[in-house]
Structure formats: structure tokens, C-alpha cells
Amino acid sequence: ASTIGMGMLDATVCDIYLVNESGAIVGRPILTLCVDAYSGVICGYSLSWEDGIYSLRNLMLNVIADKVKHCRKYGIEIKEEQWPSRQLPLKLVTDQGSEYKGENFAQITDLGVELINLKSFRADEKGPVEQCFNALQNYLKPILKGKGVIEPDFQERGSHDYRKDACLTLEQFEKILLYCIIYYNTSRTLENFPFTKEMLEKKINPYASEIWNYGKKEVGANLLTVSKEELIMCLMPRTTGRFSRFGLRVNKLRYRHDNYTEKYLTGGEVTVAYNPDDVSNVWMIEKSGRYVKFELIESRFDGVNLETVQEIQTKTRERIQTGSEASL
């Protein structure tokens, strides 16, 4: 691709052991990246303990985030041109990890993004992300030597137990990682970049962020502006909801919306997006792609996550069963 806007996604387990707030070892965090294939800019990242759809959603939210504000949360001040990416690449390339195939993530195509699954990346196709992981780990290792970083001998018998050195929390490590990402975007020299005549005339330096800033103004930049709300809605899990005269039934709970009372009586099925972490609302997806917000009727479950609700429902059934047997 000779324009920006083709994001390559991949995840790796970092070569470092981290601890929690009280100093106990938690393990090695997972870093998920989206790297622009043309400029090499790191468009976004997610650092977490779990991979899968959860880290992918965080990754996409970071891709569209205002990076100046994001860095400020960690006490790092940057200028916008140092980390200029805050739009969604219109092409996302993944190797076919199960979480990328999962239907939740595939829903991102509803926004107009094209998902390209390479069978399994050949090393050369994966170039920009591989280079990026290697570079970031190489920046980190010398600085964090003896602080839980794993050296090449860590699989050998009788080698040093690097877990004993662990002393950084996820948040501390993330702050260091952010400095590395900013350096990678703004100061790493791209030695093999195919400069055009015009780029040379405009004195564009061989740094990822400068090439991105130049490319963003060019015709054919494949970028999509999308809001945080739209993205969250789009990546939510979906299920079938059924209208009945008692409301819209989703995941064995009932929801209401003032404009849809007529619908209740006629019945019928609809596709609904829901948030497993909070059952207070669901969103009916209309054929036009519009999301309509429904409210939970049973207020005792307000703000509760789906797992807890299901547990309460099961225990209630068991309790009623036991009660009926006893009264019999």
C-alpha cells in the first residue's frame, strides 16, 4: 500500500514479569498493536492481562483516542503531531487468530472497515508489526534489566528465575512503554522508506509520524473518523430479542421503550446489542443500522452484570423448586 490507512493487528506476550500493587507476581502482560503498514506509525495499542475480544476492543478504542489526552493520564505531555493518529484505518489486516474471526470483532465491518485475514502471516507480510514488537522490546530491555525482564536463556535449565526480579506494576510498565511508542513514532529512522520526489522536496524526515502527517493530507488516505460511542456499540456482543406484550425480552430479562408499545403486541424478533458488564440497557439494531436504546424494566438488576443476573435467576428457580417440594 502506498498510502496510510492499512492497519496491521497482532499481539505478543511481553518479555517481562510484572507485580500487582502489593508486590505479588501477576505474570507477563499481553501487548496488542495496530501498526500502519505504510508509515510504520503505531496507531494504537492495548496492554492487558487477557487477549481476545476484550483487548481488541481496547485496542480499537485506543486507535481512535486523542493521544495527547491519553498520555496525559500517565503524566506524559506530548504534542499532537508526535502521535497524530486518531482515526480508524479502513483496512485492518490480521492473521486468523480466533478472536479476530469471532463475530464480535467482525462486526467492525458495519462501519465500512475492510477486514483482511491472511491465512497465517508469512514473516515478510507481517513486517511492520514484527519490526515494531522487536524494536519496542529492544528499547525496554536494557532500561529494565534486572527488573523482571526475561533474557534469552530463560528456558534453559538452571537459568536465573526472572520472576524473582519482578518489581513493576502494569501501570508503571505502561508508562515506560508509552515513552517507547512515542520514540518509535517520532525518532526512529526508517532506513528503507521509499521516499517520493515530492516528499524530499517538502523535506519530510524519515520518521513514522512525519510520514503519517504528510500522508494524511494526500488523496487516497484510507482513514475513517468514528466516535467512541459508535465504536463501542459496533463491537458489543449481539443476540436475538423477542417482543411480547410484556416488553422486549433479551437474555431472559425484559426491556421497555416508550415508542415501541405497539410492537410488543405484534411480537417478532429483532437483533439486539447488549453489554455483558451491565444489563441496565440493550440496543435494538434497526434495519437502517440505527441503535435504539431500551431500558431494563426490573430495576433490581440495574447496573448488574449478566453473569450475576443469570446466577440470581438460577438460584431463584432452585429456591422455588425446594420451596414447592417442602410445601408438598
Side-chain angles (χ1 to χ4, degrees), residues 49-90:
W49 295 116
E50 45 189 311
D51 54 0
I53 183 67
Y54 173 79
S55 69
L56 273 175
R57 190 175 69 184
N58 282 353
L59 170 68
M60 289 298 123
L61 284 169
N62 185 258
V63 167
I64 64 165
D66 176 338
K67 304 302 192 297
V68 178
K69 283 186 188 158
H70 179 74
C71 290
R72 197 168 285 145
K73 280 191 250 171
Y74 292 85
I76 302 172
E77 286 296 332
I78 61 166
K79 296 190 180 75
E80 189 168 342
E81 62 268 20
Q82 289 179 282
W83 196 348
S85 54
R86 38 193 297 196
Q87 288 160 298
L88 220 45
L90 271 171

Side-chain angles (χ1 to χ4, degrees), residues 2 6 24 41 49 100 149 168 182 202 229 246 269 280 316:
S2 55
M6 181 162 164
V41 152
W49 295 116
Y100 301 105
V149 161
L168 294 171
I182 294 159
K202 291 196 168 169
E229 289 66 35
F246 302 116
E269 292 188 347
S280 314
T316 308

Side-chain angles (χ1 to χ4, degrees), residues 309-327:
V309 172
Q310 287 168 341
E311 208 174 292
I312 294 172
Q313 288 171 332
T314 311
K315 288 200 167 129
T316 308
R317 280 198 296 277
E318 285 167 5
R319 181 44 48 102
I320 290 169
Q321 181 96 32
T322 322
S324 331
E325 282 163 12
S327 67

Side-chain angles (χ1 to χ4, degrees), residues 29-42:
I30 293 165
L31 174 63
T32 315
L33 289 181
C34 172
V35 179
D36 181 59
Y38 176 64
S39 64
V41 152
I42 298 172

Side-chain angles (χ1 to χ4, degrees), residues 74 111 120 137 167 184 314:
Y74 292 85
L111 295 170
S120 54
Q137 304 258 36
C167 60
Y184 186 89
T314 311

